[in-house]
Amino acid sequence: MNNLETFFNFTPKKIEIGIFNNQTNNEIYTKKLEINFNLNDLDALTKILNQQLKDLIIEVENKIEQPLEKINLMIEDQKTLIIDASIKKIFDNSEILKSNIEYIIQELKQQISKNNPNVKINHVLLKEYFLNGSRVNKIPVGSICKDLIIQVQFICLSKDFLDCLQNVFKNHQIDFKSIICTNYAKSLSHSEIDNFMKAGSKVLRGYNPNEVFVYPQKPS
């Protein structure tokens, strides 16, 4: 059962639930609930979910034969906010360490969060690196340089919406193992037949080597 991942994918018109076996790459269970909800009416959304989740959770638990304690939350929303940013650091001909890169990314992430308090960063993608003004193809750990520029893309979701969902699921003793932007996850696929579960599984397995994982991805 440790190979199973449970996904809840929210779209503007429905909620898709699925159980996926990472070892066999097979779907174990899927279900759709046709629900129209408005991101600006979170009280209505809370009421709808509280009415629907109890029976649905029992159904999922019967499938996995154990209590459902954590899920992978997926959000398919055209209002996903994408923020591109860059940062330059002076190294004065010293060696770039892995810890330097981690610190730079964390510093930039904090700046983005501070300037955008209404969103939650869900994916951090390293886009380009410029070593002494020249573009390089990979993270230049171990290089000696005068300066380094890193360009980063942040994929964000509404903090209020995520807080709402977190509170609803907590009422059912369920936490979020991860929060995934479905549009981003599907962009990693080279096949149009990949569904939300396969797409989400690729994110969890680190399919994109340029993604910096920010788990646990819980609203804060």
Side-chain angles (χ1 to χ4, degrees):
M1 289 297 176
N2 291 333
N3 296 317
L4 300 184
E5 294 284 356
T6 302
F7 296 92
F8 277 64
N9 183 43
F10 283 76
T11 80
K13 294 185 178 181
K14 64 180 181 295
I15 301 173
E16 299 174 297
I17 304 93
I19 302 172
F20 188 77
N21 189 316
N22 278 325
Q23 186 175 38
T24 62
N25 210 37
N26 289 328
E27 303 170 21
I28 305 299
Y29 165 89
T30 60
K31 186 168 185 174
K32 293 182 183 179
L33 297 178
E34 301 294 333
I35 299 176
N36 289 319
F37 58 86
N38 186 340
L39 290 180
N40 297 317
D41 192 352
L42 298 182
D43 289 339
L45 174 61
T46 298
K47 183 177 180 180
I48 293 172
L49 289 179
N50 283 330
Q51 292 172 345
Q52 298 283 344
L53 278 182
K54 184 177 180 180
D55 290 340
L56 183 59
I57 290 170
I58 292 174
E59 190 172 332
V60 172
E61 288 178 336
N62 287 336
K63 283 290 181 180
I64 63 176
E65 298 181 340
Q66 63 185 31
L68 182 61
E69 298 177 343
K70 292 186 178 182
I71 66 166
N72 299 291
L73 178 70
M74 300 184 67
I75 309 292
E76 192 166 344
D77 178 22
Q78 298 302 320
K79 294 183 180 180
T80 298
L81 178 64
I82 296 178
I83 301 173
D84 292 307
S86 63
I87 190 168
K88 181 177 181 178
K89 287 295 181 180
I90 304 300
F91 280 85
D92 291 327
N93 292 317
S94 59
E95 181 182 358
I96 300 175
L97 305 177
K98 181 182 178 183
S99 59
N100 297 142
I101 302 295
E102 292 171 346
Y103 180 83
I104 291 171
I105 295 169
Q106 183 62 26
E107 181 181 350
L108 192 55
K109 182 174 177 284
Q110 289 175 351
Q111 292 178 12
I112 295 297
S113 295
K114 182 179 180 180
N115 293 326
N116 300 272
N118 296 324
V119 301
K120 167 69 179 177
I121 296 173
N122 285 89
H123 302 284
V124 180
L125 309 179
L126 304 181
K127 304 299 287 186
E128 291 187 309
Y129 321 95
F130 293 87
L131 192 67
N132 300 329
S134 299
R135 186 181 184 279
V136 292
N137 295 323
K138 61 179 182 180
I139 301 176
V141 172
S143 298
I144 306 297
C145 78
K146 294 180 180 179
D147 59 72
L148 173 68
I149 297 175
I150 300 180
Q151 295 183 350
V152 185
Q153 184 175 88
F154 297 90
I155 303 178
C156 312
L157 291 166
S158 165
K159 186 177 183 297
D160 287 344
F161 182 51
L162 294 180
D163 284 346
C164 171
L165 294 181
Q166 184 186 39
N167 291 333
V168 170
F169 277 92
K170 273 193 171 183
N171 288 336
H172 296 274
Q173 292 76 52
I174 295 175
D175 290 324
F176 297 154
K177 179 178 180 180
S178 68
I179 301 174
I180 300 170
C181 297
T182 309
N183 297 336
Y184 160 66
K186 289 184 175 181
S187 75
L188 300 178
S189 176
H190 299 296
S191 170
E192 293 183 357
I193 64 173
D194 276 4
N195 60 22
F196 71 97
M197 284 180 284
K198 289 185 178 180
S201 181
K202 286 182 176 180
V203 173
L204 296 180
R205 289 182 288 182
Y207 184 85
N208 183 357
N210 293 317
E211 179 172 3
V212 178
F213 287 97
V214 292
Y215 300 145
Q217 295 180 341
K218 297 179 181 180
S220 59

